[in-house]
Amino acid sequence: SYGDSNPDGYSSIFFCQTHEANKLVKFLFSLKNRKMVRDVTSIKVRYQETDKMGIAYHGNYFTWMEVARIHLLDSMNCSYSQLEEAGYFLPVISCSCEFKNPARFDDIIEIEVKLQKMVQARVHLDYTIRRDELTLAHGKTTHAFVNQKGKVVRPPHDFLTSTGRKS
């Protein structure tokens, strides 16, 4: 209740507010030391990616997100090929896409990908797919670093360094 005290003699409200403020300060400080990891790549919608109405099949959005993800890793000087050669894999463990407007044959679309967060061996990415200024879709994927046997492992040092995180 309002007047309760914790063992240190502070009121519980003051303790909670101070605790939350300390967590926020730590979080903001950690963000200061991290890079915003993002990349944008462009793709022209091919005829084979569309249906009879000239609208892109929804499954292609996941392929386009993969293209953007591979491009992001390349821009971090941590290509997927290098990761595999070193024994690391990044399988998709969850994915979603919310469709806003259709992509059509011959559209030039941009896929922006951002590293939203990393929790231990998991990588959370957000995607925005646009044609000019019009948002076509928002997507999300989550990946886990695993070894060749599928066991979850810590991300490699180079990957952590390129994201501004400690190894």
Side-chain angles (χ1 to χ4, degrees):
S1 76
Y2 183 80
D4 289 349
S5 293
N6 68 21
D8 296 328
Y10 299 114
S11 73
S12 57
I13 291 175
F14 177 77
F15 178 76
C16 288
Q17 288 173 344
T18 303
H19 180 69
E20 291 304 313
N22 286 338
K23 283 176 31 180
L24 179 61
V25 168
K26 287 179 184 177
F27 173 72
L28 292 174
F29 184 75
S30 71
L31 288 179
K32 177 184 168 199
N33 295 321
R34 292 185 184 163
K35 301 175 190 173
M36 169 55 83
V37 180
R38 67 177 286 280
D39 195 64
V40 178
T41 192
S42 297
I43 293 176
K44 186 173 186 172
V45 178
R46 298 172 297 176
Y47 186 77
Q48 74 170 29
E49 296 172 315
T50 62
D51 60 18
K52 191 172 181 175
M53 297 180 294
I55 294 174
Y57 170 66
H58 71 276
N60 291 315
Y61 288 74
F62 293 100
T63 300
W64 300 335
M65 287 189 274
E66 179 183 21
V67 169
R69 184 168 60 248
I70 298 299
H71 197 263
L72 173 71
L73 289 169
D74 289 345
S75 74
M76 295 167 57
N77 293 318
C78 197
S79 75
Y80 200 79
S81 301
Q82 292 169 325
L83 288 171
E84 284 187 343
E85 287 170 12
Y88 295 95
F89 299 88
L90 273 171
V92 175
I93 58 174
S94 75
C95 61
S96 66
C97 191
E98 184 178 346
F99 305 98
K100 305 285 189 179
N101 293 287
R104 299 181 185 279
F105 169 63
D106 237 13
D107 283 349
I108 305 293
I109 59 173
E110 285 188 341
I111 304 100
E112 178 182 26
V113 57
K114 294 179 187 175
L115 184 116
Q116 189 59 33
K117 67 180 178 176
M118 282 188 60
V119 180
Q120 297 173 345
R122 290 186 183 204
V123 178
H124 301 265
L125 300 170
D126 287 351
Y127 306 82
T128 302
I129 301 172
R130 294 183 187 90
R131 177 183 57 242
D132 300 319
E133 297 300 315
L134 181 65
T135 298
L136 305 180
H138 290 289
K140 295 179 181 288
T141 60
T142 302
H143 308 262
F145 275 97
V146 299
N147 63 18
Q148 293 172 335
K149 294 181 180 181
K151 182 180 180 210
V152 175
V153 294
R154 281 183 55 76
H157 173 76
D158 291 346
F159 182 86
L160 292 171
T161 301
S162 66
T163 63
R165 286 157 174 85
K166 295 178 183 177
S167 59

